[in-house]
Amino acid sequence: MKIKKKQIEEIKIYTDLGKTAEEIAKILGITTGMVEYQRKINGWKSKYSSSILEKHLDAVKQYVNNKYSDARIGKIFNCSITTVFRFRKKHNLRQHTNLNSNDNKKLSKELIEVLLGTVMGDSSLNFRGISTRLVTEHSVKQSEYVYHLAEIFKCLEPSVNLTKQNTKYPAISLRTKSYPNLTEFYKSFYKDGKKVIPFELFDNFTERSLAYLIMDDGFPVRGKTGNVLSVGISLCSFSDEELQKFIDFLNEKFDLSFYITSHYNKHYQKSYKDIVLYNGEYKKLKKLINPYILNWAHYKIEGSKPRESEKVQSPLDNSNPSQLEIIERIND
């Protein structure tokens, strides 16, 4: 059996997710030896190493009982948040919270700010009768972000799982438990089952909210020479009227000027709406959201090596919006 290039790439992805050679072999339909050989010649080591935690299981239990976060435990034992999170799941170590299914306590200000940003983006709220849960799904390449969200929303008892494992685009998903205090957010975000922009909640939409929206749905915008000129946000779920109202809000609250444009998705053979920041305000946006952007997500605003992309048009600057140049929309 000859291993395919795509399978080699997937071995790297699953190794980073902490899968064992046996688990990867089963997912990809190849032998364990093939997986181990590729790991060895490429120097790929799993980021999930629970050996140090296994040696100190009782201490970890004590830290969990004392409500230490996964990040804090990881710092103590010099391992990643992902390692601690998965280790807890393996040993059924559930973090104690102040929230349960019958509790309707007010969520923290930080959590609400993140919630607004990520639900405006790729996350969704699922109404389940009385209670509501938060759901999000990303490419496995963005697993660090999903585990980060799990830490942010730990009071909602999230579970993280791999999905679409046998497809071309394996993903990782987060689902919280259902709580009544999320239902009010659901009512603002969904009208007749359709997601809308919840302007009545925007007293709580902050720089942090904008940063999480961009980490979910942002993309760098490049000029002809490949340099990043601006940032765009894919907001294809919303109407032009909502987008214009959102643009007005961003201008009034953050003094940032966006305009509506669109891109053509070859996969779905359909055009989708975006909003793009005017080039002259790029530095202002970066300064505003940089404190909240995670390390892995800087490509969303700084860019990386250009990939195959769709083309959209953008004004050169605010002073002469009639001048146009071709820029590239870098897809996620």
Side-chain angles (χ1 to χ4, degrees), residues 221-222 229-230 259 261 276-279 312-317 321 323-327:
V221 174
R222 296 181 182 277
L229 300 176
S230 184
Y259 62 92
T261 184
V276 175
L277 183 73
Y278 281 91
N279 301 344
V312 298
Q313 289 185 316
S314 166
L316 280 172
D317 54 50
Q323 289 183 291
L324 297 177
E325 68 173 324
I326 298 298
I327 57 177

Side-chain angles (χ1 to χ4, degrees), residues 274-289:
D274 307 314
I275 64 171
V276 175
L277 183 73
Y278 281 91
N279 301 344
E281 305 198 359
Y282 177 49
K283 290 183 180 179
K284 188 194 302 182
L285 173 71
K286 289 204 298 181
K287 184 177 180 180
L288 194 71
I289 65 174

Side-chain angles (χ1 to χ4, degrees), residues 9-28 32 35-36 39 44-50 82-83 86 140 143 147 160-166 170-172:
E9 293 172 351
E10 289 176 335
I11 289 172
K12 174 64 167 65
I13 291 171
Y14 286 119
T15 296
D16 288 345
L17 282 174
K19 288 288 186 182
T20 66
E22 291 78 9
E23 289 173 325
I24 297 173
K26 186 175 181 180
I27 292 170
L28 301 182
T32 302
V35 177
E36 291 174 339
R39 282 179 161 183
W44 296 335
K45 294 183 179 180
S46 175
K47 293 181 180 179
Y48 175 66
S49 177
S50 63
T82 304
T83 298
R86 297 188 64 189
V140 291
S143 59
Y147 283 111
V160 177
N161 297 286
L162 286 173
T163 57
K164 304 177 183 176
Q165 295 184 40
N166 297 317
I172 185 167

Side-chain angles (χ1 to χ4, degrees), residues 85 89 149-151 153-160 174-177:
F85 183 90
K89 296 301 178 185
L149 290 176
E151 179 70 15
F153 293 107
K154 63 183 179 183
C155 66
L156 302 177
E157 301 183 75
S159 61
V160 177
L174 175 151
R175 285 177 170 78
T176 71
K177 289 194 173 181

